[in-house]
Amino acid sequence: MRPEDLDINRIEFTESGKKVIAWHAEPLEVVYRKLQSLPDGLSEEQVAERLREFGRNTLPTKEPPTLLQVFLHQFASPLIYILLIAGIVALLMQDYKDAVFIFAVILLNAVIGTIQEWRAEQSAHALQVLLKIKARVRRNGRILTVPAEEVVPGDILLVESGDKVAADLRLIQVNNLRIDESFLTGESLAVEKTVEPLPADSPVSDRRNMAYAGSTVMSGRGIGIVVATGPYTEVGKIAKTISEEAGAKPPLVIRMEKFSRQIAIVVLGFTAILGMIQFARGEALSDVFILVVAMAVSAIPEGLPVAMTVALSLATNRMARRNVIVRKLTAVESLGSCTLIASDKTGTLTVNQQTVKQILLPEGTLIEISGQGYNDEGEVRLAGDAEMTPEIQGRLLTIARESVLCNEATLEKEDGKWQHTGDAMDVALLALGYKLGIDPPNLRRQVRILDEAPFESEKRYAAVVYENAGEPRLVVKGAVETVLQFCSRMMTAQGEVPLEREKVLQLAQHKAESGFRVLALAAGEGNLEALKGGDAGLTLLGLLGFIDPLRPEVKEAVQNAQMAGIKVVMITGDHPATALAIARELGIAQSPADVITGKELAEIGSPEIPEFFEGIKHKTVFARVTPDQKLQIVDALIRLGEFVAVTGDGVNDAPALKKANIGVAMGSGTDIAKDTASMIVTDDNFASIVAGVEEGRFAYANVRKVTLLLISTGFAELVLLALAILMEFPVPLIAVQILWLNLVTNGIQDVALAFEGGEEGVMRQPPRNPSEGIFNRKMIEQLMISGLTMALVCLGVWVFLMREGYTLDSARNLLLALLVLMQFYHVLNCRSEVESAFKIPFSRNRVLAVGMLVALALHILATEVPFLQSLLRTESLPVQTWLILFALASVVLVVMEIYKAIQKRRALI
């Protein structure tokens, strides 16, 4: 046989129009024939040929970016492009001092950003535990253990409880085989496997005769033939989708791109007009170019990239302390921008551990059990806090005892941690036993098991026979309808009474509609033979309601998100009733009208038609959806104008994580999910996502504060220069002085301002309008008022100095000092857009207090140190002059305090 004769994996990924093999629909003899394999397995020669032809059984891995790539990424900003152009113009004009300043700030920004992103990327990479699994295969009739990477199509693979499935399998033999596929399908319960062919159109979640790479065997044994490896597995298909899917831009990138375009237009417009005015007046072309560079320097916020990088880096560090690792700096404020969180259910909102939460006694008495997960924590009480009677307590102990004995799982505490194996429902029953004071391992050792029948999906029950006082006692658990067939009586407060079958079925139906998975438990004298004839004379002991419970902190976190104006929706592969029950408890949904299923979405048709958008617009729970549908939902929500944060931990979440404005993966999730996401929540805590929203809002608020400081001072400089030129006065400041203002004195303060702590009430405000730019009405008002105040005061001083006969250098020295002091006061204005500067303690930002003093001290040195005097053309100033300038500069603080007071008064009206 030649490798090219075997067209297995190629058929799975042929161009549209070619047939795809539906392995789950094929009879086993056809599967063997198409794969050219035998029950005894492949020969070593066949394995070697197929390994060469189809490659190793590994997924294409995305290598982390190199340090150089991270460094170069820092230059991919429109604002940096503008600065580079300004620096090049300065070089062409041989104005090397200006050029050095501009290139220095670009380099500083790149270094800070590189350090932060490199650390974040390494942290994310360290989370990925690369587990090298082994696989047991049958080759040439012998069973071998080989690295999973060496498994090839046609191999016969053997799996048992605890194994990770190494490749996609068509099962050929099963023995009570149950596999956890929640990472792929979102279904929290392990799937009972079979070998019979299934309809060709069965979705992945219903292909019970298949086992998929990466899934975990929870119980039983099985044998399968490998039908797909590496990138051709279901996991591989999702990885391929991710690599082809373009991610949405983070909101800060969108806003900064818009802002940069606006700045560029303003700079070009102003400099061109004023340059032409000067040239028309007879100024030399070289002098006009120098003026244009000076004005560009004043208008372009050179310090903004550095300050923004620092603000985002600080937020990144704060997020890390709150268990959120950020992989890209610009993603920091994305959570703060989001208007909608689309969360997975299993493992994100819930603990992904089935738990017995209710026991329904046959007469209708409801018992509630607190706690969640596989442990002994929780209490058992009557609903309504009624008093627990000894009779009910005794019946509950009987239910717990029989559940522990009719059980194939294990749950024990080792080294302070609970360890478990087996089916999720069985483990949950053991946890119930611990809560009722039973020691399952000890009980099992004391009881002699005579016979047992493991759970099988065809029979829908499990049974055990044990010795009880010398007689065989039969215990059966399983689907309610099945177990009731074996019962003639039921246990009540009055003892055993005739079974009321319809009443019990109604009780079970009610619980199922509430989202519970319901099992019935019965017991009596007898053996397994008694079950073959239907009614075995057993007594129904009770119904047990299971659910994958909420994480304890999630309800409050969802409420906090909703209070912040963020819509929370659930997207899951789980059953609609289960999803609705969880959503109701969280306050995400109220009725079935809030739920839509994957089947209903498919019936709507193409995700491009208006009906699809209308169908999802008002829904908050999406159940039984496929990975492709989840991607379509997220894409539609983005196109409806939402800024979407998608959370998840499974492979099935990865395409949507990639598509979202911000993808948030769980730290315990799959490597594919973490590779795809922009953020990783290390503690799997939904509350950490909401904490990330808060930190994101703090970060964006600080970016706005820094932007206001820099743009308003730049605006003041631009207006000052423009008015002085129009009034035919000399240029008030030269380019190097403007750079000193923008990069040194103001540069220190704006970086220090980025350390500002968060303001109270940020989570009681609605999300920003996604289409809103950096400059909203409030920002523009403050920019205009503060900028014009500084510009007009400085212009007045400049006119006064010129008319008093001051030399240009002396007048510029005084004006430069005045602007430094105005910045000193104005940074206090920028600490809050609404609060008075006098109400904000420096304890919220001690770095700013130090930065202000350092900036002031540096400028005083610039007027005293000969080297700086020569560079900046400054001269020493007497103390009396400094005091006058201090008083004059305070005008900007007074004006902005009046503005804030007026705005507060308006808000109260």
Side-chain angles (χ1 to χ4, degrees):
M1 181 208 71
R2 298 172 303 164
E4 54 267 29
D5 294 332
L6 188 63
D7 209 21
I8 308 161
N9 289 339
R10 289 199 206 95
I11 295 175
E12 290 285 350
F13 280 91
T14 52
E15 297 294 327
S16 59
K18 278 197 176 183
K19 186 178 178 182
V20 175
I21 297 178
W23 296 109
H24 57 280
E26 300 286 0
L28 289 177
E29 58 272 17
V30 175
V31 174
Y32 276 118
R33 188 180 74 248
K34 288 190 174 183
L35 290 166
Q36 298 182 24
S37 185
L38 297 168
D40 281 343
L42 302 172
S43 67
E44 292 302 322
E45 293 78 13
Q46 287 176 306
V47 170
E49 284 181 287
R50 297 185 186 195
L51 196 58
R52 284 193 300 271
E53 176 70 7
F54 301 111
R56 298 177 72 81
N57 179 30
T58 58
L59 292 178
T61 56
K62 182 183 175 183
E63 292 296 325
T66 64
L67 188 59
L68 178 60
Q69 289 172 325
V70 174
F71 178 74
L72 293 176
H73 178 260
Q74 308 308 312
F75 296 91
S77 163
L79 202 56
I80 295 295
Y81 301 153
I82 295 174
L83 289 175
L84 285 169
I85 292 169
I88 292 168
V89 170
L91 279 176
L92 294 174
M93 295 303 303
Q94 298 184 348
D95 197 340
Y96 300 119
K97 293 175 183 176
D98 289 5
V100 167
F101 268 108
I102 293 172
F103 289 128
V105 75
I106 293 172
L107 183 62
L108 180 61
N109 170 73
V111 169
I112 293 173
T114 298
I115 292 171
Q116 183 57 48
E117 284 197 15
W118 178 253
R119 287 176 177 173
E121 199 62 48
Q122 294 307 302
S123 298
H125 192 62
L127 278 176
Q128 299 173 6
V129 181
L130 302 177
L131 184 63
K132 295 292 185 183
I133 64 171
K134 299 285 187 178
R136 288 192 306 134
V137 296
R138 184 186 295 149
R139 292 174 179 170
N140 278 334
R142 295 184 301 117
I143 295 177
L144 307 172
T145 299
V146 300
E149 293 90 341
E150 296 178 9
V151 170
V152 297
D155 257 329
I156 305 298
L157 208 67
L158 290 75
V159 294
E160 61 183 17
S161 181
D163 284 352
K164 281 273 190 187
V165 179
D168 284 3
L169 310 177
R170 169 65 160 88
L171 295 169
I172 57 180
Q173 184 178 324
V174 296
N175 182 12
N176 303 316
L177 181 65
R178 286 187 172 187
I179 297 180
D180 178 6
E181 297 174 348
S182 61
F183 83 104
L184 185 64
T185 65
E187 174 62 61
S188 56
L189 277 182
V191 180
E192 178 79 14
K193 293 298 181 178
T194 184
V195 298
E196 286 76 19
L198 297 169
D201 60 353
S202 300
V204 171
S205 56
D206 292 342
R207 295 176 189 173
R208 294 170 53 223
N209 60 6
M210 299 287 292
Y212 293 106
S215 57
T216 304
V217 179
M218 303 305 295
S219 62
R221 296 179 179 82
I223 300 174
I225 183 168
V226 176
V227 298
T229 58
Y232 307 108
T233 60
E234 288 298 321
V235 174
K237 294 176 187 178
I238 292 175
K240 182 174 184 287
T241 302
I242 295 167
S243 65
E244 294 174 350
E245 186 63 49
K249 289 184 179 180
L252 187 60
V253 171
I254 296 171
R255 293 189 177 100
M256 290 309 297
E257 286 178 351
K258 182 179 178 181
F259 168 61
S260 299
R261 287 194 296 269
Q262 294 168 340
I263 285 289
I265 292 169
V266 171
V267 170
L268 291 173
F270 262 81
T271 54
I273 292 170
L274 293 173
M276 286 188 290
I277 290 172
Q278 286 297 88
F279 187 70
R281 287 176 176 172
E283 292 281 345
L285 186 60
S286 59
D287 292 336
V288 171
F289 268 118
I290 292 171
L291 172 64
V292 168
V293 170
M295 295 192 71
V297 166
S298 68
I300 296 172
E302 296 92 342
L304 183 56
V306 173
M308 190 176 78
T309 301
V310 169
L312 298 180
S313 297
L314 291 170
T316 297
N317 293 332
R318 285 196 293 263
M319 282 186 171
R321 289 195 290 271
R322 300 178 80 168
N323 303 306
V324 179
I325 290 179
V326 181
R327 302 182 65 189
K328 295 289 182 184
L329 281 184
T330 48
V332 169
E333 69 87 41
S334 297
L335 272 179
S337 299
C338 81
T339 60
L340 184 145
I341 298 177
S343 177
D344 181 35
K345 178 185 75 70
T346 306
T348 306
L349 297 174
T350 65
V351 297
N352 196 18
Q353 294 182 345
Q354 288 293 323
T355 306
V356 180
K357 297 295 287 184
Q358 294 186 354
I359 297 176
L360 201 59
L361 299 179
E363 71 273 19
T365 302
L366 180 62
I367 314 297
E368 295 178 340
I369 301 100
S370 63
Q372 61 275 317
Y374 304 147
N375 54 61
D376 60 356
E377 298 174 8
E379 297 179 353
V380 180
R381 60 180 180 272
L382 278 171
D385 292 326
E387 185 177 352
M388 181 77 73
T389 65
E391 183 268 334
I392 291 179
Q393 182 72 30
R395 290 165 67 190
L396 290 176
L397 285 172
T398 299
I399 289 173
R401 173 188 170 89
E402 308 294 36
S403 297
V404 167
L405 293 175
C406 187
N407 200 302
E408 297 178 75
T410 65
L411 176 65
E412 296 186 58
K413 200 170 189 178
E414 299 176 6
D415 300 323
K417 293 184 179 180
W418 288 94
Q419 306 291 337
H420 67 275
T421 61
D423 178 74
M425 310 285 268
D426 278 351
V427 179
L429 291 171
L430 295 181
L432 173 66
Y434 280 111
K435 291 175 184 178
L436 283 165
I438 294 174
D439 182 353
N442 188 47
L443 175 61
R444 286 170 166 176
R445 285 192 293 269
Q446 294 175 358
V447 173
R448 183 185 171 202
I449 302 296
L450 301 177
D451 203 356
E452 55 188 332
F455 182 89
E456 294 180 10
S457 57
E458 292 79 6
K459 295 187 302 182
R460 302 184 69 202
Y461 71 86
V464 67
V465 181
Y466 68 92
E467 187 177 305
N468 180 45
E471 297 293 329
R473 180 167 175 82
L474 173 62
V475 181
V476 179
K477 74 170 190 295
V480 177
E481 300 88 341
T482 304
V483 174
L484 290 183
Q485 294 175 6
F486 305 135
C487 299
S488 58
R489 307 180 68 77
M490 63 184 192
M491 184 64 71
T492 68
Q494 289 74 41
E496 293 188 12
V497 300
L499 176 68
E500 298 179 36
R501 187 181 305 274
E502 291 305 316
K503 177 183 176 181
V504 173
L505 286 173
Q506 287 178 4
L507 291 172
Q509 179 64 23
H510 176 71
K511 287 300 164 192
E513 290 172 354
S514 299
F516 287 90
R517 303 180 191 276
V518 184
L519 288 185
L521 183 72
E525 302 301 321
N527 52 44
L528 295 182
E529 289 296 320
L531 301 178
K532 294 182 179 179
D535 184 359
L538 300 182
T539 300
L540 177 68
L541 301 179
L543 306 178
L544 298 103
F546 298 75
I547 203 163
D548 181 11
L550 292 175
R551 292 180 178 273
E553 69 287 337
V554 164
K555 191 169 185 178
E556 182 182 358
V558 169
Q559 290 172 349
N560 289 340
Q562 291 171 335
M563 187 171 63
I566 300 168
K567 183 179 180 181
V568 181
V569 303
M570 179 195 298
I571 305 179
T572 178
D574 214 339
H575 193 279
T578 306
L580 178 59
I582 293 294
R584 273 178 170 156
E585 192 173 350
L586 285 172
I588 292 175
Q590 303 301 324
S591 71
D594 298 319
V595 182
I596 189 169
T597 65
K599 183 179 179 182
E600 291 168 334
L601 285 174
E603 290 171 354
I604 291 174
S606 168
E608 299 296 326
I609 62 176
E611 289 80 1
F612 187 89
F613 291 87
E614 194 61 34
I616 71 165
K617 187 186 297 183
H618 303 294
K619 302 298 182 183
T620 54
V621 177
F622 302 86
R624 278 283 191 253
V625 297
T626 65
D628 283 345
Q629 287 177 324
K630 183 170 184 175
L631 180 62
Q632 292 167 2
I633 292 165
V634 171
D635 181 54
L637 289 170
I638 292 172
R639 290 163 68 179
L640 283 169
E642 303 282 3
F643 266 2
V644 181
V646 171
T647 73
D649 59 354
V651 173
N652 59 318
D653 300 316
L657 289 173
K658 176 78 171 180
K659 182 65 183 178
N661 295 96
I662 183 74
V664 185
M666 301 296 110
S668 64
T670 58
D671 287 347
I672 286 181
K674 286 183 283 189
D675 265 339
T676 308
S678 304
M679 295 182 181
I680 302 169
V681 178
T682 59
D683 62 351
D684 290 9
N685 191 333
F686 187 86
S688 295
I689 300 166
V690 179
V693 170
E694 184 177 45
E695 289 295 345
R697 291 188 175 189
F698 289 158
Y700 188 69
N702 283 352
V703 168
R704 279 177 60 90
K705 292 168 187 176
V706 171
T707 302
L708 175 59
L709 174 64
L710 290 173
I711 301 301
S712 58
T713 53
F715 176 66
E717 294 162 11
L718 192 62
V719 172
L720 172 62
L721 289 170
L723 291 178
I725 290 169
L726 292 174
M727 294 171 67
E728 300 189 0
F729 282 99
V731 178
L733 296 169
I734 59 175
V736 72
Q737 290 174 330
I738 296 172
L739 277 168
W740 174 262
L741 275 173
N742 292 357
L743 301 182
V744 182
T745 56
N746 209 25
I748 291 171
Q749 292 178 134
D750 64 48
V751 170
L753 183 60
F755 284 79
E756 192 71 25
E759 296 183 58
E760 292 182 6
V762 72
M763 290 299 283
R764 293 192 292 273
Q765 299 171 4
R768 296 182 302 279
N769 187 330
S771 62
E772 180 181 282
I774 291 282
F775 285 98
N776 57 8
R777 179 175 175 176
K778 182 184 290 184
M779 173 83 88
I780 292 171
E781 285 179 357
Q782 295 189 74
L783 165 66
M784 297 296 292
I785 292 170
S786 60
L788 287 174
T789 298
M790 290 186 284
L792 293 176
V793 169
C794 289
L795 181 65
V797 170
W798 183 245
V799 171
F800 170 79
L801 294 173
M802 290 296 95
R803 288 178 177 171
E804 288 297 312
Y806 280 75
T807 65
L808 274 179
D809 282 349
S810 295
R812 284 170 174 159
N813 179 50
L814 287 167
L815 194 65
L816 182 61
L818 177 61
L819 271 169
V820 167
L821 295 175
M822 280 193 151
Q823 291 173 347
F824 183 86
Y825 284 115
H826 190 41
V827 73
L828 298 175
N829 293 327
C830 296
R831 294 188 70 192
S832 172
E833 294 184 45
V834 292
E835 289 295 329
S836 166
F838 299 102
K839 291 185 179 180
I840 307 172
F842 272 107
S843 59
R844 201 165 84 185
N845 191 354
R846 292 185 174 88
V847 175
L848 180 61
V850 174
M852 291 170 66
L853 293 174
V854 169
L856 183 59
L858 276 174
H859 191 69
I860 292 172
L861 281 175
T863 62
E864 301 294 336
V865 176
F867 167 72
L868 291 174
Q869 285 178 333
S870 172
L871 178 67
L872 300 173
R873 300 180 191 177
T874 56
E875 55 191 48
S876 180
L877 293 172
V879 174
Q880 184 179 1
T881 302
W882 277 112
L883 293 175
I884 294 171
L885 293 174
F886 257 111
L888 190 58
S890 66
V891 171
V892 69
L893 179 62
V894 174
V895 168
M896 292 308 294
E897 284 294 308
I898 294 171
Y899 166 79
K900 289 179 182 178
I902 293 172
Q903 290 299 107
K904 271 201 164 184
R905 188 171 300 170
R906 284 180 180 171
L908 295 174
I909 296 174

